Amino acid sequence: MSEPMGINTREQHEVSHRQVPHDLLVTAALVAGDGLRPRDWRLRPGVALGRPLAYALPAASGTPSTAGTTTLLLCFPFDLEDMPAGCGYRRIELVVIFDDEHLRALDLQPRPGWTGPDGARVTVFGLGRNRLRWIIQAPHADGTLSPDGLWTQVVLALPSPFTELSGRIQVRGVIEHPLLSGTRAEGEVQTRDDVPFLLSRADVWTGAPLAQQTPRPGAWALTGFESADLSDDQLPPGRRHLCLAVDIENYSTRRNVDMIRLQRALLRVMRAACERAAVDWYACGRQAQGDGYLLVMPPDTDDTRAVPRLLDGLAEALAAVNREQHGSVDSRSHVRTRMRAAFHHGIVHEADSGYAGSAVVELFRTLDSAPLRALLADDQSTDLVVAFSDQTYQDLVVQEYEGLSSVGFVRTEVRVKQFAGVAWIRSHGHVGPVPHDHAGIP
Protein backbone atom coordinates (compact mmCIF):
# COMPACT_ATOMS: atom_id res chain seq x y z
CA MET A 1 0.00 0.00 0.00
CA SER A 2 1.20 3.49 -0.69
CA GLU A 3 1.62 5.76 2.30
CA PRO A 4 -0.17 9.13 2.51
CA MET A 5 1.67 12.05 1.04
CA GLY A 6 2.61 15.22 2.94
CA ILE A 7 0.26 17.93 4.05
CA ASN A 8 -1.47 20.83 2.34
CA THR A 9 0.62 21.83 -0.65
CA ARG A 10 -0.53 21.81 -4.26
CA GLU A 11 2.60 19.97 -5.41
CA GLN A 12 1.98 17.13 -2.97
CA HIS A 13 -1.63 16.90 -4.08
CA GLU A 14 -0.58 16.64 -7.70
CA VAL A 15 1.96 13.91 -6.89
CA SER A 16 -0.65 11.87 -5.04
CA HIS A 17 -3.10 12.33 -7.92
CA ARG A 18 -0.62 10.75 -10.33
CA GLN A 19 -0.12 7.73 -8.10
CA VAL A 20 -3.73 6.70 -7.55
CA PRO A 21 -6.87 6.36 -9.69
CA HIS A 22 -8.83 9.53 -10.32
CA ASP A 23 -11.66 8.67 -7.90
CA LEU A 24 -9.28 7.59 -5.13
CA LEU A 25 -7.56 10.10 -2.89
CA VAL A 26 -5.10 7.64 -1.37
CA THR A 27 -4.71 4.10 -0.09
CA ALA A 28 -2.99 4.22 3.27
CA ALA A 29 -1.75 1.63 5.71
CA LEU A 30 -3.04 1.79 9.26
CA VAL A 31 -0.07 1.45 11.57
CA ALA A 32 0.27 0.92 15.31
CA GLY A 33 0.82 3.85 17.62
CA ASP A 34 4.58 3.41 17.43
CA GLY A 35 4.47 3.96 13.66
CA LEU A 36 4.98 0.27 12.84
CA ARG A 37 2.62 -2.18 11.25
CA PRO A 38 0.90 -4.61 13.66
CA ARG A 39 3.41 -7.23 14.77
CA ASP A 40 1.30 -10.08 13.41
CA TRP A 41 2.60 -10.30 9.81
CA ARG A 42 -0.79 -11.52 8.50
CA LEU A 43 -2.54 -8.30 9.45
CA ARG A 44 -2.53 -5.61 6.82
CA PRO A 45 -5.10 -3.05 8.03
CA GLY A 46 -5.56 -0.10 5.75
CA VAL A 47 -8.01 2.40 4.37
CA ALA A 48 -8.84 3.50 0.82
CA LEU A 49 -10.03 7.11 0.99
CA GLY A 50 -12.12 8.17 -1.97
CA ARG A 51 -11.69 11.64 -3.37
CA PRO A 52 -14.20 13.90 -1.57
CA LEU A 53 -17.31 14.57 -3.64
CA ALA A 54 -18.70 18.10 -3.64
CA TYR A 55 -22.27 19.02 -4.59
CA ALA A 56 -23.87 22.47 -4.68
CA LEU A 57 -27.19 22.32 -2.85
CA PRO A 58 -30.15 24.32 -4.14
CA ALA A 59 -31.75 26.83 -1.79
CA ALA A 60 -34.92 24.72 -1.79
CA SER A 61 -33.10 21.96 0.10
CA GLY A 62 -33.91 23.73 3.36
CA THR A 63 -30.26 23.92 4.32
CA PRO A 64 -29.36 27.11 6.22
CA SER A 65 -27.63 29.67 4.04
CA THR A 66 -27.09 33.40 3.82
CA ALA A 67 -26.72 35.89 1.00
CA GLY A 68 -23.37 35.73 -0.73
CA THR A 69 -22.69 32.09 0.16
CA THR A 70 -22.67 28.78 -1.66
CA THR A 71 -24.03 25.77 0.24
CA LEU A 72 -22.03 22.61 -0.41
CA LEU A 73 -22.59 19.01 0.48
CA LEU A 74 -19.29 17.15 0.84
CA CYS A 75 -19.22 13.38 0.88
CA PHE A 76 -16.18 11.44 2.16
CA PRO A 77 -16.42 7.81 0.95
CA PHE A 78 -13.95 5.19 2.16
CA ASP A 79 -13.35 1.45 2.33
CA LEU A 80 -11.29 -0.61 4.75
CA GLU A 81 -8.75 -3.19 3.59
CA ASP A 82 -9.86 -6.80 4.01
CA MET A 83 -8.11 -8.81 6.69
CA PRO A 84 -7.76 -12.57 7.27
CA ALA A 85 -10.67 -14.60 8.61
CA GLY A 86 -11.08 -14.11 12.33
CA CYS A 87 -9.64 -10.60 12.18
CA GLY A 88 -11.49 -7.35 11.70
CA TYR A 89 -12.17 -3.75 12.64
CA ARG A 90 -13.91 -3.08 15.93
CA ARG A 91 -14.01 0.71 15.58
CA ILE A 92 -13.07 3.29 12.97
CA GLU A 93 -12.81 7.04 13.52
CA LEU A 94 -12.73 9.45 10.59
CA VAL A 95 -11.63 13.01 11.39
CA VAL A 96 -11.93 15.81 8.83
CA ILE A 97 -10.24 19.15 9.53
CA PHE A 98 -10.79 22.06 7.16
CA ASP A 99 -7.85 24.42 6.76
CA ASP A 100 -10.13 27.45 6.89
CA GLU A 101 -10.74 27.90 10.62
CA HIS A 102 -13.77 30.06 9.92
CA LEU A 103 -15.73 27.27 8.22
CA ARG A 104 -18.56 25.83 10.27
CA ALA A 105 -20.48 22.60 9.68
CA LEU A 106 -24.20 23.32 9.18
CA ASP A 107 -25.26 19.66 9.14
CA LEU A 108 -23.59 16.29 9.54
CA GLN A 109 -24.51 12.86 8.21
CA PRO A 110 -24.83 10.29 9.61
CA ARG A 111 -26.26 12.08 12.64
CA PRO A 112 -25.59 11.10 16.28
CA GLY A 113 -27.36 7.90 17.30
CA TRP A 114 -27.70 6.55 13.75
CA THR A 115 -27.14 2.86 13.12
CA GLY A 116 -26.12 1.39 9.79
CA PRO A 117 -27.84 -1.44 7.90
CA ASP A 118 -25.45 -3.94 9.54
CA GLY A 119 -26.14 -2.49 13.00
CA ALA A 120 -22.91 -0.48 13.17
CA ARG A 121 -23.31 2.36 15.65
CA VAL A 122 -22.32 5.90 14.77
CA THR A 123 -21.58 8.91 16.97
CA VAL A 124 -20.77 12.32 15.52
CA PHE A 125 -19.09 15.51 16.67
CA GLY A 126 -18.36 18.88 15.10
CA LEU A 127 -21.63 20.69 14.37
CA GLY A 128 -20.74 24.37 14.12
CA ARG A 129 -17.01 23.67 13.84
CA ASN A 130 -14.33 23.17 11.22
CA ARG A 131 -13.12 19.94 12.86
CA LEU A 132 -15.47 16.96 12.39
CA ARG A 133 -15.35 13.47 13.81
CA TRP A 134 -17.35 10.32 13.11
CA ILE A 135 -16.96 7.18 15.25
CA ILE A 136 -18.25 3.95 13.71
CA GLN A 137 -18.50 1.09 16.20
CA ALA A 138 -19.12 -2.61 15.54
CA PRO A 139 -22.70 -3.60 16.40
CA HIS A 140 -21.91 -6.33 18.93
CA ALA A 141 -19.33 -7.01 21.62
CA ASP A 142 -17.84 -9.78 19.50
CA GLY A 143 -18.60 -8.28 16.07
CA THR A 144 -16.56 -6.44 13.48
CA LEU A 145 -17.37 -3.79 10.90
CA SER A 146 -18.22 -4.45 7.29
CA PRO A 147 -15.19 -2.98 5.49
CA ASP A 148 -16.89 -1.68 2.33
CA GLY A 149 -19.15 1.22 1.44
CA LEU A 150 -18.48 3.55 4.37
CA TRP A 151 -19.18 7.27 4.06
CA THR A 152 -19.70 10.54 5.90
CA GLN A 153 -21.19 13.87 4.81
CA VAL A 154 -21.07 17.51 5.88
CA VAL A 155 -22.94 20.60 4.72
CA LEU A 156 -20.93 23.84 4.57
CA ALA A 157 -21.66 27.45 3.60
CA LEU A 158 -18.74 28.97 1.69
CA PRO A 159 -18.26 32.53 0.44
CA SER A 160 -19.58 32.79 -3.10
CA PRO A 161 -17.84 32.43 -5.40
CA PHE A 162 -15.16 30.30 -3.75
CA THR A 163 -12.00 29.08 -5.46
CA GLU A 164 -10.60 26.25 -3.33
CA LEU A 165 -11.50 24.16 -0.33
CA SER A 166 -8.75 22.23 1.42
CA GLY A 167 -8.26 20.19 4.52
CA ARG A 168 -6.90 16.95 5.86
CA ILE A 169 -8.24 13.59 6.95
CA GLN A 170 -7.18 11.40 9.83
CA VAL A 171 -8.22 7.78 10.31
CA ARG A 172 -7.86 5.87 13.57
CA GLY A 173 -9.26 2.57 14.63
CA VAL A 174 -9.18 -0.58 16.72
CA ILE A 175 -8.53 -3.96 15.11
CA GLU A 176 -9.15 -7.38 16.61
CA HIS A 177 -7.29 -10.61 15.91
CA PRO A 178 -6.90 -14.05 17.49
CA LEU A 179 -3.84 -15.20 19.42
CA LEU A 180 -2.25 -18.64 19.42
CA SER A 181 -3.47 -19.07 23.01
CA GLY A 182 -7.05 -19.05 21.73
CA THR A 183 -7.80 -15.61 23.13
CA ARG A 184 -8.37 -12.44 21.14
CA ALA A 185 -6.41 -9.22 21.20
CA GLU A 186 -7.20 -5.65 20.21
CA GLY A 187 -4.79 -3.04 18.95
CA GLU A 188 -5.05 0.62 18.07
CA VAL A 189 -4.02 1.71 14.57
CA GLN A 190 -3.96 4.97 12.65
CA THR A 191 -2.80 6.59 9.44
CA ARG A 192 0.88 7.47 9.71
CA ASP A 193 0.24 11.03 8.49
CA ASP A 194 -2.74 13.24 7.82
CA VAL A 195 -4.13 12.81 4.32
CA PRO A 196 -4.61 16.17 2.54
CA PHE A 197 -7.39 16.96 0.09
CA LEU A 198 -8.02 19.90 -2.21
CA LEU A 199 -11.22 20.76 -4.08
CA SER A 200 -11.59 23.54 -6.63
CA ARG A 201 -14.71 25.22 -7.89
CA ALA A 202 -14.56 23.06 -11.02
CA ASP A 203 -14.90 19.90 -8.88
CA VAL A 204 -18.38 20.83 -7.64
CA TRP A 205 -21.43 19.02 -8.99
CA THR A 206 -24.92 20.52 -8.87
CA GLY A 207 -28.30 19.38 -7.65
CA ALA A 208 -27.34 16.44 -5.43
CA PRO A 209 -29.78 15.64 -2.60
CA LEU A 210 -28.69 14.62 0.85
CA ALA A 211 -28.27 10.88 1.22
CA GLN A 212 -31.37 9.18 2.55
CA GLN A 213 -30.78 7.35 5.80
CA THR A 214 -32.69 4.34 7.02
CA PRO A 215 -31.95 4.40 10.75
CA ARG A 216 -32.62 1.32 12.80
CA PRO A 217 -33.61 1.30 16.49
CA GLY A 218 -30.70 2.34 18.62
CA ALA A 219 -29.23 5.38 20.31
CA TRP A 220 -25.91 5.62 22.01
CA ALA A 221 -24.23 7.89 24.52
CA LEU A 222 -21.96 10.52 23.07
CA THR A 223 -18.33 10.02 23.98
CA GLY A 224 -15.98 12.95 23.96
CA PHE A 225 -12.83 13.74 22.11
CA GLU A 226 -9.81 12.08 23.64
CA SER A 227 -7.51 14.12 21.42
CA ALA A 228 -5.11 16.28 23.39
CA ASP A 229 -4.71 18.83 20.62
CA LEU A 230 -8.23 20.25 20.70
CA SER A 231 -7.71 23.98 21.02
CA ASP A 232 -10.76 25.38 19.23
CA ASP A 233 -12.41 27.78 21.68
CA GLN A 234 -15.24 28.62 19.30
CA LEU A 235 -18.52 28.27 21.19
CA PRO A 236 -20.77 25.70 19.46
CA PRO A 237 -24.24 26.92 18.45
CA GLY A 238 -26.70 27.43 21.30
CA ARG A 239 -30.41 27.14 20.58
CA ARG A 240 -33.52 27.00 22.73
CA HIS A 241 -34.88 23.47 23.01
CA LEU A 242 -37.51 21.58 24.91
CA CYS A 243 -35.66 18.87 26.84
CA LEU A 244 -36.93 15.66 28.42
CA ALA A 245 -34.83 13.52 30.76
CA VAL A 246 -35.82 10.21 32.34
CA ASP A 247 -34.23 7.83 34.83
CA ILE A 248 -35.10 4.24 35.80
CA GLU A 249 -35.75 3.47 39.45
CA ASN A 250 -33.27 1.22 41.29
CA TYR A 251 -31.29 0.39 38.16
CA SER A 252 -28.00 -0.16 39.98
CA THR A 253 -29.48 -2.85 42.24
CA ARG A 254 -30.49 -5.10 39.33
CA ARG A 255 -28.71 -8.13 37.92
CA ASN A 256 -26.60 -7.60 34.82
CA VAL A 257 -29.15 -9.35 32.61
CA ASP A 258 -31.91 -7.15 34.02
CA MET A 259 -29.86 -4.00 33.37
CA ILE A 260 -29.64 -4.98 29.72
CA ARG A 261 -33.38 -5.67 29.62
CA LEU A 262 -34.11 -2.33 31.26
CA GLN A 263 -31.97 -0.43 28.77
CA ARG A 264 -33.88 -2.04 25.93
CA ALA A 265 -37.18 -1.21 27.63
CA LEU A 266 -36.05 2.38 28.17
CA LEU A 267 -35.23 2.84 24.50
CA ARG A 268 -38.55 1.32 23.50
CA VAL A 269 -40.45 3.60 25.88
CA MET A 270 -38.69 6.74 24.65
CA ARG A 271 -39.30 5.93 21.00
CA ALA A 272 -42.96 5.12 21.70
CA ALA A 273 -43.41 8.43 23.53
CA CYS A 274 -41.99 10.35 20.57
CA GLU A 275 -44.28 8.49 18.19
CA ARG A 276 -47.29 9.28 20.40
CA ALA A 277 -46.30 12.97 20.39
CA ALA A 278 -45.51 13.10 16.64
CA VAL A 279 -41.94 14.13 17.51
CA ASP A 280 -39.37 13.00 14.94
CA TRP A 281 -37.08 10.63 16.84
CA TYR A 282 -34.26 11.06 14.36
CA ALA A 283 -34.44 14.86 14.49
CA CYS A 284 -33.94 14.84 18.27
CA GLY A 285 -30.62 15.18 20.01
CA ARG A 286 -30.23 11.95 21.98
CA GLN A 287 -27.89 11.01 24.78
CA ALA A 288 -28.15 7.63 26.51
CA GLN A 289 -26.84 7.34 30.06
CA GLY A 290 -27.30 3.69 31.00
CA ASP A 291 -30.27 3.99 33.35
CA GLY A 292 -31.34 7.33 31.92
CA TYR A 293 -31.93 9.19 28.70
CA LEU A 294 -31.87 12.77 27.46
CA LEU A 295 -33.96 13.94 24.52
CA VAL A 296 -33.32 17.38 23.04
CA MET A 297 -36.31 18.20 20.86
CA PRO A 298 -35.97 20.01 17.52
CA PRO A 299 -36.13 23.82 17.91
CA ASP A 300 -39.47 24.03 16.08
CA THR A 301 -41.26 21.63 18.46
CA ASP A 302 -44.71 22.79 19.58
CA ASP A 303 -44.29 22.42 23.36
CA THR A 304 -48.00 22.90 24.04
CA ARG A 305 -48.86 19.76 22.10
CA ALA A 306 -45.70 17.71 22.54
CA VAL A 307 -45.43 17.74 26.34
CA PRO A 308 -48.84 16.23 27.25
CA ARG A 309 -48.52 13.65 24.49
CA LEU A 310 -44.99 12.72 25.53
CA LEU A 311 -46.23 12.16 29.07
CA ASP A 312 -49.11 9.99 27.92
CA GLY A 313 -46.75 8.11 25.60
CA LEU A 314 -44.31 7.41 28.43
CA ALA A 315 -47.10 6.13 30.70
CA GLU A 316 -48.68 3.97 27.99
CA ALA A 317 -45.36 2.44 26.90
CA LEU A 318 -44.35 1.72 30.50
CA ALA A 319 -47.66 -0.01 31.10
CA ALA A 320 -47.19 -2.14 27.98
CA VAL A 321 -43.63 -3.10 28.98
CA ASN A 322 -44.74 -4.13 32.45
CA ARG A 323 -47.69 -6.16 31.17
CA GLU A 324 -45.36 -8.10 28.89
CA GLN A 325 -42.81 -8.64 31.65
CA HIS A 326 -45.45 -9.91 34.07
CA GLY A 327 -46.76 -12.34 31.43
CA SER A 328 -43.35 -13.74 30.51
CA VAL A 329 -42.13 -17.19 31.57
CA ASP A 330 -39.51 -15.52 33.74
CA SER A 331 -41.93 -13.04 35.28
CA ARG A 332 -41.04 -13.86 38.90
CA SER A 333 -37.51 -12.55 38.34
CA HIS A 334 -38.83 -9.26 36.97
CA VAL A 335 -39.79 -6.16 38.85
CA ARG A 336 -41.83 -3.35 37.43
CA THR A 337 -40.03 -0.83 35.28
CA ARG A 338 -40.66 2.55 36.90
CA MET A 339 -39.12 5.91 36.11
CA ARG A 340 -38.85 9.59 36.88
CA ALA A 341 -39.19 12.20 34.12
CA ALA A 342 -38.41 15.91 33.98
CA PHE A 343 -39.10 18.70 31.47
CA HIS A 344 -37.27 21.97 30.96
CA HIS A 345 -36.85 24.49 28.14
CA GLY A 346 -33.69 26.50 27.60
CA ILE A 347 -30.52 27.10 25.62
CA VAL A 348 -28.55 23.93 24.83
CA HIS A 349 -25.13 23.52 23.21
CA GLU A 350 -23.81 20.34 21.56
CA ALA A 351 -20.44 20.05 23.26
CA ASP A 352 -17.56 17.60 22.79
CA SER A 353 -18.92 14.91 25.11
CA GLY A 354 -22.64 15.53 25.14
CA TYR A 355 -25.15 18.31 25.53
CA ALA A 356 -24.18 21.25 27.72
CA GLY A 357 -25.67 24.38 29.23
CA SER A 358 -27.36 25.55 32.40
CA ALA A 359 -30.68 24.27 31.04
CA VAL A 360 -29.30 20.72 30.95
CA VAL A 361 -27.88 21.10 34.46
CA GLU A 362 -31.21 22.33 35.85
CA LEU A 363 -33.05 19.51 34.07
CA PHE A 364 -30.90 16.77 35.61
CA ARG A 365 -30.79 18.38 39.05
CA THR A 366 -34.59 18.42 39.00
CA LEU A 367 -34.68 14.80 37.82
CA ASP A 368 -32.30 13.74 40.62
CA SER A 369 -34.02 15.72 43.39
CA ALA A 370 -34.98 13.97 46.62
CA PRO A 371 -38.68 14.98 46.49
CA LEU A 372 -39.15 13.42 43.05
CA ARG A 373 -37.35 10.24 44.09
CA ALA A 374 -39.44 10.02 47.25
CA LEU A 375 -42.67 10.50 45.32
CA LEU A 376 -41.92 7.52 43.08
CA ALA A 377 -40.89 5.34 46.03
CA ASP A 378 -43.99 6.23 48.05
CA ASP A 379 -46.62 6.00 45.30
CA GLN A 380 -46.76 2.35 44.28
CA SER A 381 -49.92 2.96 42.23
CA THR A 382 -47.94 4.53 39.41
CA ASP A 383 -44.92 3.73 37.27
CA LEU A 384 -44.16 7.35 36.33
CA VAL A 385 -43.64 10.57 38.21
CA VAL A 386 -42.91 13.85 36.47
CA ALA A 387 -41.26 17.15 37.35
CA PHE A 388 -41.51 20.47 35.54
CA SER A 389 -39.03 23.25 36.06
CA ASP A 390 -40.75 26.32 37.43
CA GLN A 391 -40.64 28.29 34.18
CA THR A 392 -41.86 25.34 32.10
CA TYR A 393 -44.67 24.78 34.59
CA GLN A 394 -45.71 28.44 34.37
CA ASP A 395 -45.56 28.42 30.57
CA LEU A 396 -47.48 25.19 30.00
CA VAL A 397 -49.35 23.81 33.01
CA VAL A 398 -50.64 27.07 34.49
CA GLN A 399 -51.97 27.99 31.05
CA GLU A 400 -53.84 24.65 31.03
CA TYR A 401 -53.09 23.73 27.47
CA GLU A 402 -55.05 20.69 26.29
CA GLY A 403 -53.90 17.62 28.18
CA LEU A 404 -52.24 19.63 30.97
CA SER A 405 -53.78 20.50 34.32
CA SER A 406 -52.34 21.86 37.55
CA VAL A 407 -54.37 19.32 39.56
CA GLY A 408 -52.09 17.11 41.63
CA PHE A 409 -48.91 19.14 41.16
CA VAL A 410 -46.95 20.05 44.27
CA ARG A 411 -44.41 22.86 44.46
CA THR A 412 -41.08 21.69 45.84
CA GLU A 413 -37.62 23.04 46.51
CA VAL A 414 -34.82 21.41 44.52
CA ARG A 415 -31.40 21.35 46.18
CA VAL A 416 -28.84 19.11 44.52
CA LYS A 417 -25.13 19.86 44.89
CA GLN A 418 -24.69 23.59 44.20
CA PHE A 419 -28.03 23.92 42.42
CA ALA A 420 -31.08 25.37 44.14
CA GLY A 421 -34.37 25.98 42.39
CA VAL A 422 -38.10 25.28 42.25
CA ALA A 423 -39.92 22.44 40.54
CA TRP A 424 -43.47 21.14 40.33
CA ILE A 425 -43.97 17.39 40.71
CA ARG A 426 -46.77 14.85 40.53
CA SER A 427 -47.53 11.22 39.74
CA HIS A 428 -48.65 10.61 36.17
CA GLY A 429 -50.92 7.76 35.15
CA HIS A 430 -51.71 4.72 37.24
CA VAL A 431 -51.25 1.01 36.81
CA GLY A 432 -53.91 -1.58 37.43
CA PRO A 433 -53.78 -4.02 40.37
CA VAL A 434 -50.19 -4.65 41.32
CA PRO A 435 -49.22 -8.34 40.87
CA HIS A 436 -48.77 -9.96 44.28
CA ASP A 437 -45.18 -10.94 43.58
CA HIS A 438 -44.36 -7.33 42.61
CA ALA A 439 -46.19 -5.53 45.41
CA GLY A 440 -44.18 -3.45 47.81
CA ILE A 441 -41.14 -3.18 45.56
CA PRO A 442 -39.42 0.11 46.40
Side-chain angles (χ1 to χ4, degrees), residues 233-251:
D233 60 357
Q234 177 75 25
L235 187 68
R239 299 184 178 90
R240 297 192 67 83
H241 295 270
L242 172 67
C243 300
L244 164 64
V246 300
D247 190 89
I248 297 175
E249 182 187 46
N250 291 336
Y251 176 85

Side-chain angles (χ1 to χ4, degrees), residues 108-418:
L108 298 170
Q109 301 277 359
R111 291 195 174 104
W114 184 75
T115 56
D118 61 350
R121 313 191 299 263
V122 180
T123 52
V124 188
F125 303 91
L127 187 64
R129 297 188 173 190
N130 74 317
R131 179 188 177 111
L132 319 174
R133 187 188 193 200
W134 290 266
I135 304 173
I136 306 174
Q137 185 80 30
H140 307 294
D142 57 350
T144 56
L145 293 170
S146 174
D148 300 323
L150 301 170
W151 58 272
T152 65
Q153 292 181 342
V154 58
V155 176
L156 299 170
L158 282 75
S160 183
F162 77 96
T163 55
E164 290 184 344
L165 176 63
S166 63
R168 58 194 189 275
I169 303 172
Q170 303 168 354
V171 180
R172 296 189 288 269
V174 174
I175 60 172
E176 182 182 73
H177 60 94
L179 300 176
L180 293 177
S181 62
T183 59
R184 303 187 67 79
E186 289 187 351
E188 295 185 357
V189 292
Q190 62 189 36
T191 47
R192 191 188 305 274
D193 300 299
D194 292 357
V195 178
F197 64 88
L198 178 67
L199 295 169
S200 70
R201 187 177 177 185
D203 295 322
V204 178
W205 296 66
T206 58
L210 287 169
Q212 297 298 312
Q213 298 186 54
T214 54
R216 302 175 68 184
W220 310 90
L222 296 177
T223 53
F225 280 109
E226 295 90 1
S227 305
D229 61 345
L230 285 179
S231 57
D232 186 1
D233 60 357
Q234 177 75 25
L235 187 68
R239 299 184 178 90
R240 297 192 67 83
H241 295 270
L242 172 67
C243 300
L244 164 64
V246 300
D247 190 89
I248 297 175
E249 182 187 46
N250 291 336
Y251 176 85
S252 62
T253 65
R254 310 296 179 90
R255 302 177 304 165
N256 289 354
V257 64
D258 290 327
M259 290 183 181
I260 295 171
R261 176 185 59 80
L262 284 171
Q263 288 195 18
R264 291 173 178 166
L266 174 61
L267 181 59
R268 173 183 168 186
V269 167
M270 297 300 287
R271 288 171 57 85
C274 283
E275 183 175 357
R276 176 75 162 78
V279 172
D280 185 351
W281 173 258
Y282 299 107
C284 292
R286 292 172 278 146
Q287 185 170 313
Q289 299 180 250
D291 59 344
Y293 214 94
L294 169 65
L295 273 186
V296 181
M297 312 293 168
D300 59 352
T301 299
D302 182 347
D303 299 3
T304 65
R305 291 180 171 84
V307 170
R309 295 173 184 176
L310 284 166
L311 278 173
D312 289 342
L314 289 173
E316 292 165 3
L318 274 173
V321 165
N322 286 321
R323 282 195 301 269
E324 292 176 8
Q325 291 173 357
H326 181 57
S328 70
V329 295
D330 193 27
S331 63
R332 295 193 62 84
S333 68
H334 288 161
V335 295
R336 280 159 51 201
T337 300
R338 309 176 73 224
M339 65 172 57
R340 309 184 309 280
F343 285 97
H344 186 42
H345 193 286
I347 293 177
V348 178
H349 296 270
E350 181 187 350
D352 293 340
S353 55
Y355 291 94
S358 60
V360 178
V361 172
E362 180 172 350
L363 178 72
F364 277 99
R365 295 296 184 257
T366 301
L367 183 70
D368 292 339
S369 64
L372 191 63
R373 289 179 177 272
L375 179 61
L376 184 60
D378 294 342
D379 188 355
Q380 289 296 314
S381 69
T382 185
D383 293 329
L384 176 67
V385 296
V386 61
F388 284 74
S389 66
D390 186 52
Q391 186 60 57
T392 306
Y393 178 83
Q394 301 299 331
D395 289 345
L396 297 176
V397 181
V398 170
Q399 300 302 321
E400 295 191 341
Y401 285 104
E402 183 178 356
L404 294 173
S405 169
S406 59
V407 175
F409 275 98
V410 176
R411 184 183 186 276
T412 184
E413 300 288 334
V414 176
R415 298 186 181 277
V416 181
K417 297 183 180 179
Q418 289 77 34

